[in-house]
Amino acid sequence: MEPAIILVRPQMGENIGAAARAMLNFGLTDMRLVAPRDGWPNPKAIAMASGAAGKVLDQARVYPTLAEAMADIDYAYATTARGRELTKPVMTPAQAMGDARERTATGGRVAVIFGPERAGLENDDVARANAIITVPVNPDFPSLNLAQAVLLTGYEWSRDMLPAQPAPHGRRPDGEVPATRIEIEKLADHWEERLDDAGFFFPSEKAPAMKLTLRNLWSRLPLTKADTRIFHGMLRQLVRRD
């Protein structure tokens, strides 16, 4: 079961919408809002969520207190960049989400708690969590905005489930599609014919070996369909200029 993302006293609707987008990027949909400053629903959040991520906002639940938002949670991680006097395990996002996967695999319910934009979580909020998440960033500028923090958490949660390579979008352009064997053969034939006409294969007794070397060269190149068209066009232009 996925982690619940709890936003405590979020201040700007735009940031809530951006957080919803970050969640859906990595398949997270359980958003919980604790006392949002500008009330709920928020038109600015809806506008920022932009399309599909609106469904995260549609099913977001609003609570008056953090304790109520955590009522069904077995283990919670509080995100904070500041040192705390509270004694708790401190983890990176990767460590925390690895721990979360282990807990959810045995039926546990986990949550990640994010504080308001201006000052982050208060000690009373952090005290309700079981562990702290701190992102190892530049110590001279440790602040992340709300959506960035949610995005990092979402990525670390889902990265073992993500595809090894980005998914292609729609039809691949010819510049990315490998040339077929026939296309490479026709290209090799075209160049061999024109080079023969130009007297390139000289002396005649060396011509077979030179043609073999050239044919082998074409087959070694990782040509795309677009590459073959360029090479054909280059040769036609050269012949035309002669």
Side-chain angles (χ1 to χ4, degrees), residues 50-112:
S50 182
K55 73 177 186 180
V56 176
L57 301 181
D58 290 341
Q59 57 195 43
R61 288 173 281 176
V62 182
Y63 300 86
T65 67
L66 177 57
E68 290 170 277
M70 295 175 61
D72 63 335
I73 299 299
D74 301 306
Y75 199 91
Y77 309 85
T79 59
T80 177
R82 294 181 288 124
R84 303 286 182 168
E85 60 271 21
L86 302 171
T87 302
K88 293 181 184 294
V90 179
M91 307 178 185
T92 66
Q95 291 168 335
M97 292 303 96
D99 182 70
R101 283 192 294 272
E102 292 179 4
R103 293 179 186 279
T104 57
T106 57
R109 192 79 175 88
V110 304
V112 185

Side-chain angles (χ1 to χ4, degrees), residues 110-193:
V110 304
V112 185
I113 307 168
F114 299 86
E117 297 91 320
R118 186 179 297 273
L121 293 170
E122 297 177 357
N123 280 348
D124 285 348
D125 303 317
V126 178
R128 297 185 182 280
N130 304 90
I132 289 173
I133 297 177
T134 295
V135 181
V137 294
N138 177 4
D140 295 327
F141 190 67
S143 177
L144 295 174
N145 69 38
L146 181 58
Q148 288 174 327
V150 173
L151 187 74
L152 277 172
T153 302
Y155 172 74
E156 293 297 349
W157 163 260
S158 63
R159 67 174 181 169
D160 289 345
M161 299 174 274
L162 296 173
Q165 297 293 331
H169 295 283
R171 182 178 178 274
R172 294 171 63 191
D174 283 352
E176 299 176 4
V177 178
T180 65
R181 174 55 52 191
I182 292 176
E183 288 168 334
I184 295 173
E185 285 288 332
K186 288 183 177 179
L187 180 64
D189 290 343
H190 189 190
W191 276 78
E192 183 175 307
E193 179 183 347

